[in-house]
Amino acid sequence: MNRTTLLRALFGVALAGALALELLGEKRPYVHPWDWPLFFAIAGLVGCLLLSVVAKGIVAPVLDRPQSFYDTDAKEYEEVEARFQGRDADAGVGSGRPPAAETTPTPAHPAGATPGPDRAASGHASSRPSSEGRG
Amino acid sequence: MFGALPPALFYFLGALALPLLPKAVRPWAFLVPAIVVLFHLSGLEAGTSLTWSFATFELTLLRVDTLAHVFGWIFALVTLIAGVYALHNRNTGEQVSALLYSGSALGAVYAGDLFTLVFFWEIMAFTSAYLVWARGTKTASAAAWRYLFVHIFGGSLLMAGVFLHVGATGSLAFEAFDATGGGSLAAWLVLLGFGVNSAFVPFHAWISDAYPRGTVTGSVFLSAFTTKTAVYTLARGFEGWDVLVWVGLLMALYGVTYAILSNDIRRVLAYHIVSQVGFMVTGIGIGTEMALNGATSHAYTHILYKGLLFMATGAVLHATGKSRMTDLGGLYARMPWVFWAYMVAALSISSAPFFSGFISKPMTISAAEYASTDAVVLLLHLASVGTFLSVGLKLPFFTWFGKAPAQPLEVRPLPWNMYVALGVGVGLNILLGVWPDPLYAILPYEVAFDPYELKNLKKGFQLLLFTALAFFLIASRLKPKAKIQLDTDWFYRAPRELAWQGIVRPVEAFFAWGERASWDAAAWVARWGRDPVGTTQALFGRPVSVGRMAPGETASTTYRVSMTLMMVVLLAGVLFLLAAVALGRILG
């Protein structure tokens, strides 16, 4: 039995165990919907599908926009990534370590190479003020 | 331990002393006030107060009661844990801000009057904004400004409400606002002020805008204080206000819907702050003893597990430099311990049995079963499903187990202190989950709820396991997309260019014209002093008769006004003005 099969079997046992809890305890009068047998199993199953359909089927088509919509989110990511690649990650993520070497060579872009969209990943942290992100 | 001193004082003193210490010592020194405050709180008994006469008012700088104490304890505890998490951080500005932020949050919950509350409320806004600024990127800076403006707006509403309230009642005391007759205008303004910080929809977008952009360590602090201080103020001032039931429900469902769609792992968590605070707000709106206990205990556990969630996702960001699920995946082999720490927090927020959320969230829902409508209960359960779906399943699945990116991720080692803080967070979330008594003992009312009753266990296991089953059936359809979702911040971000062109530019142009005109006038006066005849000629465009001049003389040199004369004229003018004002006062 491989690992995936074992995990699936365990998950199946857990589901059966959760359902078996219905057999324990006193029977309660069905006053509210949540007093019905298996209510929470069905609620979990249906609720998950319902929320997924609402989110992905209704909300997303209306409100989804490209990451560059505000023209800032995408830039920020590039900025942080550039500093990470330049071994100055914490400047982007806020630990305030000493600045990275200002003269870190950028082998991915030899002199004269045109900086393209992947400029951010090539150690251009040195082009930013090294004091950013620290006090 | 130190008598009736406000706990905030220790943090503020720490913030003052920190920059004077050697840099290497500062992260450790940060922990000192946090530990001192924990000792101090253990000696503060309910009923203790400290008052101070200010102008004609009697301010209550310290009011200790059970409600304030629940929040005080958890604020002090999370400051210590977050301080350990940030031990590798050498950013003094961030450390000082974090101390001031924690201190002002403590100051607000122990404030006995509205003036003191507003004072600490405003400090919280500025010091927390710095934790976003400290990220150092332009986008973070812009987000911090937006964050600050929204909080200034909220603070203004609060202040206006306080002024009206004091004007009408003559009292500054921070007590429950009267809901009879729908509540006064003052009460509604105060409620909206609290609502901005509580992330009432549609005033919530500052959370999803700013928190994902905070520093790794700063976001841990951010997740703890602002919204929970607001929850405290709502519990204090607006318990039993029916409108809060529906406001909270909207928050709970709105937050999970956006969390399901979000791609940035810290934005998913930010939306879940909106959602979880929604549970608390609903509990406060229900207003029964059990509901208030539920809301308060949920705020306590929420701070613990949300801090752990932000620490774990912050660790991913620290190690990989990435925070979008579309750029992550397959991290389990590289960061297994962080994954397990994350899962403890995720199971806690999902209120899985034996984890911290299980002792608090079901209490709020049970209170709704007893004292609210079926619809409210069902919608709260639906929000619970959404919580587990997005935080407990989708986020970890696509971050740690999803398909790894084509270019292998570089994973840097984490500092040891991050592991220690994660470990403490894990321990506390499990400990509280299996042993809720210490928390139940400090709640405002006697607890009449047993989370480990069979019906609660059945609810917990069935709801979560069958949510998981549904997720695994449709996981491929929930794959994250490299998109953002428009939210209510669009209303103040999209018209930015319009506002810039329509408001800022004309004002800027007017002041620029004024500046130019004043410089030109000064230059003309200077020229006139040097060459009165020539300047006047230039002004009128024709020659002015100046009489006979000796050879070599010009009109400019002959008729130049001496500096002494000009100074005398100026001085006389000023004296004349002063005399006129004095005379006006005497006669008036």
Side-chain angles (χ1 to χ4, degrees), chain A residues 18 22 32 34 40-41 56 63-65 67 72-73 76-77 81 90-96 132-133 135, chain B residues 89-91 94 134-136 139 213 216 258 263 318 322-324 327 374 459 462 466 479 484-486:
Chain A
E22 290 289 346
H32 303 288
W34 52 89
F40 289 101
K56 287 282 186 181
L63 299 178
D64 266 6
R65 292 291 183 278
Q67 282 174 160
T72 52
D73 299 87
E76 179 195 33
Y77 208 61
E81 192 160 313
D90 283 348
V93 294
S95 83
E132 279 194 353
Chain B
N89 193 342
R90 296 289 181 270
N91 186 332
E94 222 183 307
R135 179 88 179 267
T139 316
R213 299 195 169 101
V216 164
Y258 270 81
N263 185 22
H318 181 96
K322 295 177 192 299
S323 61
R324 291 177 180 160
D327 297 332
D374 285 3
K459 273 183 207 176
Q462 285 189 358
F466 280 84
K479 205 173 163 189
I484 62 161
Q485 289 72 43
L486 293 186

Side-chain angles (χ1 to χ4, degrees), chain A residues 13-104:
Chain A
V13 169
L15 288 173
L19 293 179
L21 288 174
E22 290 289 346
L23 304 173
L24 305 176
E26 293 175 18
K27 292 281 172 268
R28 290 156 55 111
Y30 303 151
V31 180
H32 303 288
W34 52 89
D35 295 326
W36 299 338
L38 301 180
F39 171 81
F40 289 101
I42 295 165
L45 204 64
V46 174
C48 179
L49 296 173
L50 179 70
L51 283 171
S52 305
V53 168
V54 169
K56 287 282 186 181
I58 299 172
V59 178
V62 178
L63 299 178
D64 266 6
R65 292 291 183 278
Q67 282 174 160
S68 57
F69 180 74
Y70 288 118
D71 194 36
T72 52
D73 299 87
K75 280 182 187 166
E76 179 195 33
Y77 208 61
E78 282 173 15
E79 215 176 333
V80 172
E81 192 160 313
R83 296 157 85 175
F84 181 81
Q85 294 296 334
R87 292 298 180 276
D88 192 16
D90 283 348
V93 294
S95 83
R97 287 190 172 180
E102 292 286 309
T103 53
T104 306

Side-chain angles (χ1 to χ4, degrees), chain B residues 171-308:
Chain B
S171 166
L172 261 180
F174 180 27
E175 303 292 352
F177 286 88
D178 192 2
T180 49
S184 61
L185 174 64
W188 277 96
L189 285 171
V190 172
L191 177 62
L192 281 177
F194 292 164
V196 171
N197 276 24
S198 304
F200 284 5
V201 177
F203 304 118
H204 66 285
W206 56 270
I207 289 194
S208 51
D209 183 20
Y211 283 16
R213 299 195 169 101
T215 65
V216 164
T217 52
S219 287
V220 180
F221 289 97
L222 289 169
S223 74
F225 297 121
T226 302
T227 48
K228 262 57 76 185
T229 306
V231 166
Y232 159 80
T233 55
L234 288 175
R236 169 79 65 194
F238 296 95
E239 62 172 73
W241 278 53
D242 291 336
V243 65
L244 292 182
V245 174
W246 299 101
V247 169
L249 269 179
L250 178 62
M251 291 166 68
L253 289 166
Y254 192 97
V256 293
T257 308
Y258 270 81
I260 291 168
L261 296 172
S262 295
N263 185 22
D264 188 297
I265 54 179
R266 296 201 301 170
R267 183 159 290 135
V268 172
L269 302 184
Y271 274 119
H272 270 287
I273 294 179
V274 179
S275 178
Q276 296 303 303
V277 170
F279 280 89
M280 300 167 213
V281 171
T282 298
I284 292 166
I286 293 169
T288 60
E289 290 190 358
M290 188 196 239
L292 289 170
N293 271 345
T296 312
S297 59
H298 198 47
Y300 190 101
T301 57
H302 176 81
I303 290 171
L304 273 185
Y305 62 66
K306 189 60 80 176
L308 184 55

